[in-house]
Amino acid sequence: MHTPLYQKTLCFVFLLLLGFQSVAQKQWTLQECVEHAIKNNISVKQSEISVQQSGIGLTQKQLQMLPTANGSASHNYNFGRSVDPFSNQFTTEQIQSDNVSLSGNLTLFNGFQLQNELKQSRLDYLASNYDLQKIRNDISLNVVSSFLQVLYAQEALTSTKNQQERSQKQRDRTKALTDAGSLTQGDLLDAESLLAADEVALINAENNLTIALLSLAQLMELETIDGFSVAKPASEIPDISILSQTPQAIYQSAQQILPELKSAETKVLSANKGLAVARGGRLPRLSAFGSLSTGYSSASRRSAGSQFLGLFPNGSVTEFGDSVLAPISITTFEDTPFNEQFDQNYSKSVGFSLSIPIFNGWATESSIKRAKLAVISAGLNEDLQKQQVLKSIQQAYADASGAQRKYAASQKSYNALQASFNYSQKKFDAGIVSSLEFLIAKNNFAKAESDLLQAKYDYIFRVKVLDFYAGKALTL
């Protein structure tokens, strides 16, 4: 028996939709979220462009160490009275001329400015890479914080659902007992009120999860949160060995790895090279130059030959009274060929140029003063960065230590209130305690559960911040 065509079609559509659903429900790990955010973040892209610009500047400074070479060519028309550029004679004819030249220049000494500018460009390029890494680290920390907020919102939603389900069962049991006359109408109203409150809490928990997912998706530059979810790590509570170190020891490790500190240090070195460049303006400059040139003029003529006409008296006489005869000939001319003129007009030159600064409107001294101030400013910025990092580490250490104690206290409170709630549940089921007393026990347990979740994820994040300062990878 053959399967009907419409059944095959329905099966195909079902499998296709199932495939789409499996793709849409892909769960992102923390590492995937961090990598995607770094790859697509606009601030990171802008910083990458700055690095490329610094690289271009470095390449330019490297090439400035080489000789310069420039070629030129021109074609000119002269009308009326003008000077032939090659014969230097006046003429009234229309002249066409061509000029071709090649010149070069090599700086031999300029107060080591070229060398110091190259070193400064290398330092600037290195600093721009450190700045890029700083932005990537900031994005990574923000993603970790948002990722943990999503995990907290997921657990809070699960807890709220459990609370709502317990309230639903309690309301149904209370209604049955009320209908049987074992409980009063007031007990039923209390149970329904508790259920309604839990339903509102469930809606708030769902909204909080949506907001947390949206915040994380925006950091990752995702267009929508449809089908977006995160994978819960296998191990949540991190290794707390970092708390056995002192803040000063963590700071010593941070000095070796944090890009903001390396960037500030590199910028101090760059400012000192800038000062060396400015001081080089006081020294003489020596350069070598050379050139090759040739040209063509339409006014140039050359001899095409001569014709002998004979001997004719030249106006002089001998001592015997005879006329002196002289040979007479006519010379004809033609335009000098283009190739021949290029050979004839070819010229070469080479020389040296020495420039000694004497007075330039105090420009060099002003540059030196500005460079000195730049060195001081870079040094102050380095000190400020070190202070900020040290303060951040001290604060992070205090936060992590406090979060550890808070988590431990919340765990104890949760265990105690859970036992109290279970005991109240049994007493309420047996009709020993009132619905109000049971409601108080249930609310206390719900608050303890919520406090424990908040303490746990705050604890995880605070420890991860310390791990980051110590150079550990941001993983869960």
Side-chain angles (χ1 to χ4, degrees), residues 33-263:
C33 290
V34 170
E35 291 176 354
H36 191 278
I38 291 176
K39 181 179 179 181
N40 295 276
N41 185 267
I42 294 178
S43 297
V44 173
K45 292 180 179 180
Q46 290 176 331
S47 185
E48 289 174 345
I49 292 176
S50 297
V51 172
Q52 294 175 6
Q53 291 174 336
S54 297
I56 294 173
L58 174 59
T59 301
Q60 182 182 5
K61 293 300 180 183
Q62 290 172 334
L63 295 178
Q64 282 182 350
M65 304 292 293
L66 302 177
T68 61
N70 296 283
S72 65
S74 64
H75 183 77
N76 305 309
Y77 294 91
N78 295 322
F79 303 92
R81 182 178 174 83
S82 59
V83 178
D84 188 328
F86 297 101
S87 66
N88 290 323
Q89 296 179 352
F90 286 102
T91 179
T92 58
E93 298 180 359
Q94 174 183 332
I95 298 178
Q96 296 185 42
S97 60
D98 296 288
N99 294 276
V100 179
S101 65
L102 176 65
S103 62
N105 188 286
L106 174 62
T107 300
L108 302 177
F109 180 78
N110 71 336
F112 301 105
Q113 285 185 315
L114 289 177
Q115 291 85 345
N116 287 320
E117 286 176 352
L118 176 58
K119 293 177 181 178
Q120 186 180 25
S121 292
R122 286 173 177 164
L123 292 170
D124 291 340
Y125 178 69
L126 183 60
S128 65
N129 278 279
Y130 287 139
D131 292 339
L132 172 60
Q133 185 59 46
K134 170 65 167 57
I135 294 178
R136 288 174 174 171
N137 287 346
D138 291 342
I139 296 297
S140 299
L141 280 175
N142 291 335
V143 170
V144 170
S145 176
S146 293
F147 191 91
L148 291 174
Q149 189 63 33
V150 171
L151 294 180
Y152 162 71
Q154 287 178 341
E155 287 201 29
L157 177 59
T158 301
S159 174
T160 305
K161 285 181 178 179
N162 293 335
Q163 293 284 354
Q164 190 268 343
E165 290 174 357
R166 284 194 291 264
S167 296
Q168 181 68 51
K169 292 179 180 179
Q170 190 62 41
R171 182 264 178 196
D172 294 341
R173 180 180 177 279
T174 302
K175 185 177 185 307
L177 293 175
T178 301
D179 293 341
S182 300
L183 295 177
T184 65
Q185 188 67 26
D187 293 327
L188 177 59
L189 292 176
D190 289 339
E192 290 180 344
S193 175
L194 179 60
L195 176 60
D198 286 343
E199 289 174 348
V200 172
L202 179 60
I203 294 174
N204 291 334
E206 291 173 346
N207 290 337
N208 290 336
L209 176 57
T210 300
I211 293 173
L213 286 171
L214 182 61
S215 298
L216 179 57
Q218 288 175 344
L219 278 175
M220 296 170 59
E221 302 295 339
L222 296 178
E223 296 182 355
T224 179
I225 61 173
D226 293 340
F228 175 61
S229 63
V230 300
K232 188 176 181 179
S235 176
E236 295 180 352
I237 302 302
D239 177 20
I240 61 172
S241 60
I242 187 68
L243 291 174
S244 63
Q245 302 184 38
T246 64
Q248 191 62 35
I250 298 174
Y251 174 70
Q252 294 298 327
S253 300
Q255 283 186 306
Q256 307 300 320
I257 58 175
L258 286 187
E260 55 264 43
L261 296 181
K262 290 182 174 293
S263 174

Side-chain angles (χ1 to χ4, degrees), residues 399-424:
D399 291 340
S401 299
Q404 181 188 27
R405 293 192 296 271
K406 182 179 179 181
Y407 176 67
S410 298
Q411 185 72 54
K412 290 181 180 179
S413 176
Y414 172 81
N415 293 335
L417 289 172
Q418 184 182 38
S420 176
F421 170 73
N422 292 335
Y423 183 66
S424 297

